Amino acid sequence: MDIFYEESSIAQNATKGARRYKLLHILSIACYIIGFFAVVMGFNFVPIGAPWIAWGIFCAWFFACGILFWRLKLRFNVSYDYSFVSGEVRISKVININKRKLVAKIDAGDMIQIGDVENSSFDRLKSDPTVKTVLCTSNEEPAEGKFFMYILASYDGKKLFVLECREELLIHILKFVKRSVLESDYISQEKKRAKA
């Protein structure tokens, strides 16, 4: 039985992130252009006896700023896509809507524990120094109808993936893993909303 399920975790401040992304993109290109013209000007107009080291540092500074701005922009306007295909969770990072980068492919057999971030078992796992936490959401609070779910998996060591998703993703995963993988103190989101 093949199952395909897909959903996204869209940044709640996407418009602000898009503006920052665009600003940093423009700044990085401007730094590269200024650095390029500084190099050309140096070869054409700086006298031979001039302090070339200082000029080289001046040119390199613009290129370094361009690289810095380019790397910083990748932190803004980020969303995540989660795909579940018959026992495998695929997590992709989407930068500025059009760039997609695969974060992880987690096979059901590699999943050690799954649960709710609000439960005490998450804090215990997060404090373990052998476990690396990988945030796969840009939001501080889950969107309506979603919750923060964690997946502890054997993936390049032990990694604790935090996803912002609907409970439907968890239900699909549970069809392919042992029942003991679900944390013992897990309460369904529907019951939690009813108590609130």
Side-chain angles (χ1 to χ4, degrees), residues 26-69:
I26 291 167
L27 286 172
S28 67
I29 290 173
C31 285
Y32 289 137
I33 291 170
I34 293 168
F36 174 75
F37 279 114
V39 169
V40 171
M41 297 287 280
F43 283 125
N44 291 327
F45 299 108
V46 176
I48 292 174
W52 279 97
I53 293 173
W55 189 260
I57 291 170
F58 176 74
C59 295
W61 184 80
F62 281 106
F63 287 111
C65 286
I67 291 168
L68 176 69
F69 290 141

Coordinates of all heavy atoms in Angstrom, one line a residue, residues 26-69:
I26 N 20.5 42.5 -2.6 CA 21.0 43.7 -3.3 C 22.3 44.1 -2.7 O 23.2 44.5 -3.5 CB 19.9 44.8 -3.2 CG1 18.7 44.4 -4.1 CG2 20.4 46.1 -3.6 CD1 17.4 45.2 -3.8
L27 N 22.4 44.1 -1.4 CA 23.7 44.5 -0.8 C 24.8 43.6 -1.2 O 26.0 44.1 -1.4 CB 23.5 44.5 0.8 CG 22.7 45.6 1.4 CD1 22.5 45.4 2.9 CD2 23.4 47.0 1.2
S28 N 24.6 42.3 -1.3 CA 25.7 41.4 -1.7 C 26.1 41.7 -3.1 O 27.3 41.7 -3.4 CB 25.3 39.9 -1.5 OG 24.2 39.6 -2.4
I29 N 25.2 41.9 -4.0 CA 25.5 42.2 -5.4 C 26.3 43.5 -5.5 O 27.3 43.6 -6.2 CB 24.3 42.1 -6.3 CG1 23.8 40.7 -6.4 CG2 24.6 42.7 -7.7 CD1 22.5 40.5 -7.1
A30 N 25.8 44.5 -4.7 CA 26.5 45.8 -4.7 C 27.9 45.7 -4.3 O 28.9 46.3 -4.8 CB 25.7 46.8 -3.9
C31 N 28.2 44.9 -3.2 CA 29.5 44.7 -2.7 C 30.4 44.0 -3.7 O 31.6 44.3 -3.9 CB 29.5 43.9 -1.4 SG 28.9 44.8 0.0
Y32 N 29.9 43.0 -4.4 CA 30.6 42.3 -5.5 C 31.0 43.3 -6.6 O 32.1 43.3 -7.1 CB 29.8 41.1 -6.1 CG 29.7 39.9 -5.2 CD1 28.5 39.3 -5.1 CD2 30.8 39.5 -4.4 CE1 28.3 38.2 -4.2 CE2 30.6 38.4 -3.6 CZ 29.4 37.7 -3.5 OH 29.3 36.7 -2.6
I33 N 30.1 44.1 -7.0 CA 30.3 45.1 -8.1 C 31.4 46.1 -7.7 O 32.3 46.4 -8.4 CB 29.0 45.8 -8.5 CG1 28.1 44.7 -9.2 CG2 29.3 47.0 -9.4 CD1 26.7 45.2 -9.5
I34 N 31.2 46.6 -6.5 CA 32.2 47.6 -6.0 C 33.6 47.0 -5.9 O 34.6 47.5 -6.2 CB 31.8 48.2 -4.6 CG1 30.5 49.1 -4.8 CG2 32.9 49.0 -4.0 CD1 29.8 49.5 -3.5
G35 N 33.6 45.7 -5.3 CA 34.9 45.0 -5.2 C 35.5 44.8 -6.6 O 36.8 45.0 -6.8
F36 N 34.7 44.4 -7.6 CA 35.2 44.2 -8.9 C 35.8 45.5 -9.5 O 36.9 45.5 -10.1 CB 34.1 43.7 -9.9 CG 34.5 43.5 -11.3 CD1 35.4 42.5 -11.7 CD2 34.1 44.5 -12.2 CE1 35.7 42.4 -13.0 CE2 34.5 44.4 -13.5 CZ 35.3 43.3 -14.0
F37 N 35.1 46.6 -9.4 CA 35.6 47.9 -9.9 C 36.8 48.4 -9.1 O 37.7 49.0 -9.7 CB 34.5 49.0 -9.8 CG 33.5 48.9 -11.0 CD1 32.2 48.5 -10.8 CD2 34.0 49.1 -12.3 CE1 31.3 48.4 -11.9 CE2 33.1 49.0 -13.4 CZ 31.8 48.7 -13.2
A38 N 36.9 48.1 -7.8 CA 38.1 48.4 -7.1 C 39.3 47.7 -7.6 O 40.4 48.2 -7.7 CB 37.8 48.1 -5.6
V39 N 39.1 46.4 -7.9 CA 40.2 45.6 -8.5 C 40.7 46.2 -9.9 O 41.9 46.4 -10.1 CB 39.8 44.1 -8.7 CG1 40.9 43.4 -9.5 CG2 39.7 43.5 -7.3
V40 N 39.7 46.5 -10.7 CA 40.0 47.1 -12.0 C 40.7 48.4 -11.9 O 41.7 48.7 -12.6 CB 38.7 47.2 -12.9 CG1 38.9 48.0 -14.1 CG2 38.1 45.8 -13.2
M41 N 40.2 49.3 -11.0 CA 40.8 50.6 -10.7 C 42.2 50.4 -10.2 O 43.1 51.2 -10.6 CB 39.9 51.4 -9.7 CG 38.5 51.7 -10.2 SD 38.5 53.0 -11.4 CE 38.6 54.4 -10.4
G42 N 42.4 49.5 -9.4 CA 43.8 49.2 -8.8 C 44.8 48.9 -9.9 O 45.9 49.4 -9.9
F43 N 44.4 48.0 -10.8 CA 45.3 47.7 -11.9 C 45.5 48.8 -12.9 O 46.6 48.9 -13.5 CB 44.7 46.5 -12.7 CG 44.9 45.2 -12.0 CD1 43.8 44.3 -11.8 CD2 46.2 44.8 -11.6 CE1 44.0 43.1 -11.1 CE2 46.4 43.6 -10.9 CZ 45.3 42.7 -10.7
N44 N 44.5 49.7 -13.1 CA 44.6 50.7 -14.1 C 45.2 52.1 -13.5 O 45.8 52.8 -14.3 CB 43.3 51.0 -14.8 CG 42.8 49.8 -15.6 OD1 43.7 49.2 -16.2 ND2 41.6 49.6 -15.7
F45 N 44.9 52.4 -12.3 CA 45.2 53.7 -11.8 C 46.1 53.8 -10.6 O 46.6 54.9 -10.3 CB 43.9 54.5 -11.5 CG 43.0 54.6 -12.7 CD1 41.8 53.9 -12.8 CD2 43.3 55.5 -13.7 CE1 41.0 54.0 -13.9 CE2 42.5 55.6 -14.8 CZ 41.3 54.9 -14.9
V46 N 46.3 52.8 -9.9 CA 47.2 52.9 -8.7 C 48.6 52.7 -9.2 O 49.0 51.8 -9.9 CB 46.8 51.7 -7.7 CG1 47.8 51.8 -6.5 CG2 45.4 51.9 -7.2
P47 N 49.5 53.7 -8.8 CA 50.9 53.7 -9.2 C 51.6 52.4 -8.7 O 51.2 51.8 -7.7 CB 51.5 54.9 -8.6 CG 50.4 55.7 -8.1 CD 49.2 54.8 -8.0
I48 N 52.7 52.0 -9.4 CA 53.4 50.8 -9.1 C 54.0 50.8 -7.7 O 54.0 49.9 -7.0 CB 54.5 50.6 -10.2 CG1 53.8 50.2 -11.5 CG2 55.5 49.5 -9.8 CD1 54.7 50.1 -12.7
G49 N 54.5 52.0 -7.3 CA 55.1 52.0 -5.9 C 54.1 52.2 -4.8 O 54.5 52.3 -3.6
A50 N 52.8 52.2 -5.1 CA 51.8 52.4 -4.1 C 51.6 51.2 -3.2 O 52.1 50.1 -3.5 CB 50.4 52.6 -4.8
P51 N 51.0 51.3 -2.0 CA 50.9 50.2 -1.1 C 49.8 49.2 -1.6 O 48.6 49.3 -1.3 CB 50.4 50.9 0.2 CG 49.8 52.1 -0.2 CD 50.5 52.6 -1.5
W52 N 50.2 48.2 -2.3 CA 49.3 47.2 -2.9 C 48.6 46.3 -1.9 O 47.5 45.9 -2.1 CB 50.1 46.4 -4.0 CG 50.2 47.1 -5.3 CD1 51.3 47.8 -5.7 CD2 49.2 47.2 -6.3 NE1 51.0 48.3 -6.9 CE2 49.8 48.0 -7.3 CE3 47.9 46.7 -6.4 CZ2 49.1 48.3 -8.5 CZ3 47.2 47.0 -7.6 CH2 47.8 47.8 -8.6
I53 N 49.3 46.1 -0.8 CA 48.7 45.3 0.2 C 47.4 45.9 0.8 O 46.4 45.3 0.9 CB 49.7 45.0 1.4 CG1 50.8 44.1 0.8 CG2 49.0 44.3 2.5 CD1 51.9 43.8 1.8
A54 N 47.5 47.2 1.1 CA 46.4 48.0 1.6 C 45.3 48.0 0.5 O 44.1 47.8 0.9 CB 46.8 49.4 1.9
W55 N 45.6 48.1 -0.7 CA 44.6 48.1 -1.8 C 43.9 46.7 -1.9 O 42.7 46.6 -2.1 CB 45.2 48.6 -3.1 CG 44.1 48.8 -4.2 CD1 43.8 47.9 -5.1 CD2 43.3 49.9 -4.3 NE1 42.7 48.5 -5.9 CE2 42.4 49.7 -5.4 CE3 43.1 51.1 -3.6 CZ2 41.5 50.6 -5.8 CZ3 42.2 52.0 -4.0 CH2 41.3 51.7 -5.1
G56 N 44.8 45.7 -1.8 CA 44.2 44.3 -1.8 C 43.3 44.1 -0.7 O 42.2 43.4 -0.9
I57 N 43.6 44.6 0.5 CA 42.7 44.4 1.7 C 41.4 45.1 1.5 O 40.3 44.6 1.8 CB 43.4 44.8 3.0 CG1 44.6 43.9 3.3 CG2 42.5 45.0 4.1 CD1 45.5 44.3 4.4
F58 N 41.5 46.3 0.9 CA 40.3 47.1 0.6 C 39.4 46.4 -0.4 O 38.2 46.3 -0.2 CB 40.8 48.5 0.0 CG 39.7 49.4 -0.5 CD1 38.9 50.0 0.4 CD2 39.4 49.5 -1.8 CE1 37.8 50.8 0.0 CE2 38.4 50.3 -2.3 CZ 37.6 51.0 -1.3
C59 N 40.0 45.8 -1.4 CA 39.2 45.0 -2.4 C 38.6 43.8 -1.8 O 37.4 43.5 -2.0 CB 40.0 44.7 -3.6 SG 40.6 46.1 -4.6
A60 N 39.4 43.1 -1.0 CA 39.0 41.8 -0.4 C 37.9 42.1 0.6 O 37.0 41.2 0.8 CB 40.2 41.1 0.3
W61 N 37.9 43.2 1.3 CA 36.8 43.6 2.2 C 35.5 43.6 1.6 O 34.5 43.1 2.1 CB 37.2 44.9 2.9 CG 36.2 45.3 4.0 CD1 36.2 44.8 5.2 CD2 35.1 46.2 3.8 NE1 35.1 45.4 5.9 CE2 34.4 46.2 5.1 CE3 34.6 46.9 2.8 CZ2 33.3 47.0 5.3 CZ3 33.4 47.7 3.0 CH2 32.8 47.7 4.3
F62 N 35.4 44.2 0.4 CA 34.1 44.2 -0.4 C 33.6 42.8 -0.7 O 32.4 42.5 -0.6 CB 34.2 45.1 -1.6 CG 34.1 46.6 -1.3 CD1 35.2 47.4 -1.3 CD2 32.9 47.2 -0.9 CE1 35.1 48.7 -1.0 CE2 32.8 48.5 -0.6 CZ 33.9 49.3 -0.6
F63 N 34.6 42.0 -1.2 CA 34.2 40.6 -1.6 C 33.7 39.8 -0.3 O 32.8 39.1 -0.4 CB 35.3 39.9 -2.3 CG 35.5 40.4 -3.7 CD1 36.6 41.1 -4.1 CD2 34.5 40.2 -4.7 CE1 36.8 41.6 -5.3 CE2 34.7 40.6 -6.0 CZ 35.8 41.3 -6.3
A64 N 34.4 40.1 0.8 CA 34.0 39.4 2.0 C 32.6 39.8 2.5 O 31.8 39.0 2.9 CB 35.1 39.7 3.1
C65 N 32.4 41.1 2.4 CA 31.0 41.6 2.7 C 30.0 41.0 1.8 O 28.9 40.7 2.3 CB 31.0 43.1 2.7 SG 31.8 43.9 4.1
G66 N 30.3 40.9 0.5 CA 29.4 40.3 -0.4 C 29.0 38.9 -0.1 O 27.9 38.4 -0.1
I67 N 30.0 38.1 0.3 CA 29.8 36.7 0.7 C 29.0 36.6 2.0 O 28.1 35.8 2.1 CB 31.2 36.0 0.9 CG1 31.9 35.8 -0.4 CG2 31.0 34.6 1.6 CD1 33.3 35.4 -0.4
L68 N 29.3 37.5 3.0 CA 28.6 37.6 4.2 C 27.1 37.9 4.0 O 26.2 37.1 4.5 CB 29.2 38.6 5.2 CG 28.5 38.8 6.5 CD1 28.6 37.6 7.4 CD2 29.0 40.0 7.2
F69 N 26.8 38.9 3.2 CA 25.4 39.2 2.9 C 24.7 38.1 2.2 O 23.5 37.8 2.4 CB 25.3 40.5 2.1 CG 25.7 41.8 2.9 CD1 26.4 42.8 2.3 CD2 25.3 41.9 4.2 CE1 26.8 43.9 3.0 CE2 25.7 43.0 4.9 CZ 26.4 44.1 4.3

